[in-house]
Amino acid sequence: MSYFKHHVFFCCNQRPDGDSCCANFGAAELHAYAKDRIKKLKLNGEGKVRMNKAGCLDRCDEGPVIVVYPEGTWYTYVDKQDIDEIIDSHIVGGKVVERLKLK
C-alpha cells in the first residue's frame, strides 16, 4: 500500500507570457479550498489524502487541471462546486466524475 490512498496534484503553473495556464483560472485558490475541505473532513494524513500544488502538468489548453493518483484520473474544474463534487464522488465515494474527466 502506498503512503497515501489518494494523491491529488493541482496544476498551479503561471506562464509569464500571458499564455493559457491553470493559474489564470484561480488554481491556487481552489487548491487551498480543496486542502482545507480535506482537513475539515479529517481525510488528510498518512493512509488518507494528500493535496499538492504542481508545476506545469502540460495540459494547459484543457486547464485548469488536477490529476488524482493512484488512478491517474485527470479532471478539469471551474469552481468550488466542481471541487466538492470531485472530493465527494471520487475521493470519498470512489466514483469518477465523468462530466469533469479529461481523456
Side-chain angles (χ1 to χ4, degrees):
M1 184 167 145
S2 67
Y3 191 80
F4 296 110
K5 181 177 179 182
H6 292 288
H7 206 153
V8 182
F9 292 90
F10 274 73
C11 179
C12 292
N13 190 53
Q14 176 69 59
R15 292 183 172 221
D17 56 9
D19 285 346
S20 181
C21 64
C22 294
N24 292 346
F25 296 98
E29 174 190 346
L30 288 168
H31 166 263
Y33 171 79
K35 190 172 181 176
D36 185 57
R37 180 134 192 272
I38 288 296
K39 285 181 181 178
K40 286 180 181 173
L41 293 170
K42 299 186 185 329
L43 295 175
N44 61 310
E46 184 179 347
K48 298 177 184 177
V49 180
R50 174 73 180 173
M51 294 285 181
N52 270 99
K53 289 182 187 176
C56 185
L57 293 174
D58 205 24
R59 296 190 79 170
C60 304
D61 292 333
E62 300 171 281
V65 299
I66 65 172
V67 60
V68 179
Y69 288 106
E71 299 88 340
T73 304
W74 289 81
Y75 290 110
T76 190
Y77 57 88
V78 174
D79 53 26
K80 291 177 181 178
Q81 290 76 25
D82 288 345
I83 298 300
D84 287 341
E85 187 173 356
I86 292 166
I87 291 171
D88 295 342
S89 182
H90 189 137
I91 303 299
V92 175
K95 184 177 179 206
V96 171
V97 182
E98 292 296 332
R99 72 176 191 86
L100 298 173
K101 184 180 174 190
L102 295 172
K103 299 202 186 299

